[in-house]
Amino acid sequence: MSIKKQFVKTKPVCKVTFSVDAKQAASASVVGDFNSWDLTEGALGKLKNGTFKATFDLNKDASYEFKYVIDGQFVNEPEADSFKWNDFAGTENSVLSI
């Protein structure tokens, strides 16, 4: 799993690429504050090498809680900027700071 941030000089956004190595998985999404935790909005495309990947334009100067959903299982990003406890889910969420 990995996150790549690419700041856009001409716009107040950052292009964030989420990658998940899940060769055996049928589906993967990234859900979080930036897409209202919507699986459809956060769908990742599967590449030939088995990696799921997608790029999203996110507003700068913000923090977003998120998780991956791989075949229905919620998974944190080990390389997240930080983690935040979520009382509703009873677990930590990954945090992305831009």
Side-chain angles (χ1 to χ4, degrees):
M1 291 182 233
S2 70
I3 301 171
K4 179 183 172 192
K5 301 175 190 175
Q6 182 179 4
F7 291 92
V8 179
K9 293 180 182 178
T10 57
K11 296 180 183 178
V13 299
C14 179
K15 292 188 175 292
V16 180
T17 302
F18 295 92
S19 299
V20 177
D21 185 17
K23 291 175 179 52
Q24 306 304 320
S27 67
S29 295
V30 61
V31 295
D33 296 336
F34 53 87
N35 64 8
S36 301
W37 298 85
D38 186 322
L39 285 170
T40 306
E41 291 288 322
L44 303 176
K46 190 169 188 177
L47 306 177
K48 289 181 182 181
N49 67 1
T51 300
F52 287 86
K53 193 175 196 177
T55 302
F56 300 90
D57 288 350
L58 303 182
N59 292 327
K60 288 184 189 176
D61 302 320
S63 289
Y64 303 96
E65 290 185 42
F66 74 98
K67 280 191 178 278
Y68 295 113
V69 182
I70 303 169
D71 285 346
Q73 298 293 316
F74 286 85
V75 179
N76 275 328
E77 167 61 67
E79 297 178 13
D81 295 321
S82 62
F83 298 92
K84 184 176 179 184
W85 182 258
N86 179 322
D87 284 332
F88 177 75
T91 186
E92 287 185 329
N93 288 336
S94 301
V95 176
L96 175 67
S97 298
I98 301 175

